[in-house]
């Protein structure tokens, strides 16, 4: 089979399009012939070696959708020919509140979805929502469950609350926008692109500001009022502005830090406003199923920005690195 393999770090140019053996499922595993895969920023970080527990070589990719073509011994609830999506969170553990010590994600160190076939545990397979295309279904899992858990489980989002999502355009941020709007929240966003702000409003955002403006936080405060919940994957120096924009007793849920650490955080700004700051990453099996059910109920379709062929994975990763995408980037495989 064809696959995208990373054998050494150094950026997207280090991935190679190779012929590798088709794996065989063991007990309680299934073999899936993939139709589409989707990119996550995690994949880009891995190519640079910026990820804990690096173990190469590995086939990249956490997200995918396809058809079951073989099942291992002990698998009785999944039929050959089933259309499925893959939950990329392996061995989450028994406690929904946090992942256990054996938790890991498909696509390094275990082989991932940038391939024609993949082996996954049967428990990590879910039926593909019928209303989604193969491409949309592949785009959903990792970013979808991260956004859903951030909002609904860690963020305790209530209908009618005001939600702020900085850096709109990434997969998680867009899913958070779609989920929050469907749940009846009032959503505001930030971006460095006026075009992305317009697109976000087309998807239901009430408004937003360009954070390249010198007084963007004050502008947003005037437009939005205050935020009951902030879903942040940016971090960096702007995190202090998020505290300023929070309502008293507001919540900030952090799922990433693309701009690095938060420096010189003034803690009194946090405790005098009674603000909760929570961390989250990925999601439990319960989060994943609840996320799929929510998308089914509200008929939410992932927003796909651009599609490449599997052999063009390096170009797709470079495009992601530019940060110009609005929505998910996918790879067509089968």
């Amino acid at each position: 089979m064809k696959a995208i393999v990373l054998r050494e770090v150094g950026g997207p140019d280090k991935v190679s399009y190779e012929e590798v053996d088709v794996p065989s499922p063991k007990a309680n595993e299934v073999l899936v012939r993939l139709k589409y895969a989707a990119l996550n920023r995690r994949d880009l970080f891995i190519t640079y070696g910026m990820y804990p527990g690096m173990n190469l070589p590995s086939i990249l990719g956490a997200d995918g959708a396809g058809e079951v073509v073989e099942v291992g011994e002990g698998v009785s609830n999944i039929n050959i020919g089933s259309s499925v999506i893959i939950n990329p969170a392996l061995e989450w553990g028994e406690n929904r509140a946090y992942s256990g010590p054996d938790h890991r994600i498909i696509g390094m160190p275990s082989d991932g979805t940038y391939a024609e076939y993949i082996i996954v545990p049967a428990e990590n397979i879910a039926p593909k929502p019928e209303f989604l295309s193969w491409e949309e279904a592949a785009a959903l899992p990792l970013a979808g469950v991260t956004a859903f858990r951030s909002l609904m489980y860690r963020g305790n989002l209530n209908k009618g609350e005001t939600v702020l999502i900085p850096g709109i355009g990434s997969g998680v941020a867009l899913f958070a926008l779609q989920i929050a709007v469907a749940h009846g929240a009032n959503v505001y966003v930030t971006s460095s692109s006026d075009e992305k702000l317009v697109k976000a409003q087309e998807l239901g955002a009430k408004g937003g500001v360009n954070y390249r403006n010198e007084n963007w936080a004050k502008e947003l405060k005037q437009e939005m009022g205050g935020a009951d919940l902030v879903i942040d994957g940016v971090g960096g120096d702007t995190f202090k502005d998020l505290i300023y924009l929070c309502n008293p007793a507001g919540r900030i849920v952090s799922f990433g830090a693309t701009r690095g650490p938060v420096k010189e955080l003034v803690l009194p700004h946090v405790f005098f406003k009674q603000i909760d700051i929570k961390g989250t990453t990925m999601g439990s099996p319960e989060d994943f199923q609840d996320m799929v059910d929510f998308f089914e109920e509200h008929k939410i379709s992932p927003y796909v920005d651009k599609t490449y062929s599997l052999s063009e994975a390096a170009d797709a990763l470079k495009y992601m690195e530019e940060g110009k995408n609005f929505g998910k980037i996918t790879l067509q495989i089968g």
Side-chain angles (χ1 to χ4, degrees):
M1 70 173 184
K2 296 296 186 181
I4 299 298
V5 182
L6 180 69
R7 298 189 178 278
E8 59 179 315
V9 299
D13 284 329
K14 294 298 184 180
V15 303
S16 59
Y17 182 59
E18 300 182 11
E19 183 74 31
V20 299
D21 293 335
V22 177
S24 297
K26 299 176 183 177
N28 301 313
E29 293 181 337
V30 299
L31 178 66
V32 178
R33 180 190 292 122
L34 290 157
K35 299 286 189 178
Y36 276 87
L39 276 66
N40 292 284
R41 190 156 289 273
R42 170 184 186 266
D43 306 330
L44 181 63
F45 290 158
I46 289 171
T47 68
Y48 284 104
M50 298 167 57
Y51 202 81
M54 290 289 296
N55 186 14
L56 301 179
S58 182
I59 297 172
L60 298 183
D63 285 337
E67 294 181 351
V68 175
V69 294
E70 188 178 350
V71 300
E73 183 181 355
V75 178
S76 59
N77 60 336
I78 300 174
N79 296 321
I80 292 176
S82 297
S83 299
V84 298
I85 58 175
I86 297 168
N87 177 1
L90 301 175
E91 297 188 57
W92 174 271
E94 297 181 357
N95 196 322
R96 185 173 185 176
Y98 57 88
S99 56
D102 296 324
H103 171 59
R104 61 196 187 281
I105 302 172
I106 290 171
M108 203 291 299
S110 58
D111 286 337
T113 57
Y114 292 7
E116 293 180 312
Y117 295 87
I118 186 174
I119 292 287
V120 290
E123 64 184 9
N124 285 75
I125 291 295
K128 181 183 83 69
E130 292 185 3
F131 77 98
L132 295 181
S133 68
W134 283 112
E135 184 177 28
E136 292 168 337
L140 179 58
L142 188 150
V145 73
T146 300
F148 187 86
R149 180 179 172 88
S150 297
L151 284 164
M152 310 301 283
Y153 184 74
R154 298 291 283 159
N156 299 310
L157 176 63
N158 296 306
K159 183 177 180 180
E161 288 190 312
T162 297
V163 177
L164 171 59
I165 306 172
I168 200 67
S170 73
V172 176
L174 276 179
F175 281 134
L177 167 61
Q178 292 177 293
I179 294 167
V181 168
H183 195 62
N186 302 304
V187 184
Y188 292 82
V189 301
T190 72
S191 175
S192 62
S193 164
D194 291 338
E195 181 182 358
K196 289 183 179 181
L197 293 174
V198 171
K199 289 182 178 179
Q201 290 182 64
E202 292 173 355
L203 290 176
K206 296 288 187 181
V209 299
N210 191 316
Y211 62 73
R212 293 194 185 280
N213 298 341
E214 184 178 356
N215 296 314
W216 71 269
K218 291 183 178 179
E219 290 177 22
L220 186 56
K221 183 79 169 180
Q222 184 174 6
E223 179 181 349
M224 176 182 67
D228 301 302
L229 176 62
V230 181
I231 304 299
D232 181 51
V234 179
D237 290 339
T238 58
F239 193 86
K240 291 173 284 188
D241 295 303
L242 304 183
I243 294 171
Y244 160 73
L245 289 165
C246 259
N247 283 329
R251 295 98 69 201
I252 300 175
V253 178
S254 169
F255 68 86
T258 56
R259 285 197 167 189
V262 181
K263 300 176 182 178
E264 299 179 0
L265 178 63
V266 181
L267 286 175
H269 293 169
V270 177
F271 57 71
F272 279 128
K273 291 183 75 172
Q274 308 282 333
I275 290 173
D276 290 337
I277 299 177
K278 300 182 178 182
T280 191
T281 184
M282 293 297 294
S284 68
E286 296 91 341
D287 294 322
F288 189 84
Q289 188 58 57
D290 287 349
M291 178 271 294
V292 173
D293 291 344
F294 187 92
F295 273 68
E296 286 263 25
E297 177 185 354
H298 295 279
K299 295 296 184 285
I300 300 172
S301 295
Y303 196 99
V304 177
D305 178 272
K306 195 169 184 179
T307 300
Y308 293 80
S309 67
L310 179 61
S311 62
E312 297 172 318
D315 292 333
L317 288 163
K318 291 175 186 177
Y319 177 65
M320 170 175 276
E321 191 169 22
E322 293 173 358
K324 297 178 181 178
N325 60 295
F326 185 86
K328 295 293 290 184
I329 304 167
T330 59
L331 300 176
Q332 184 175 6
I333 300 173

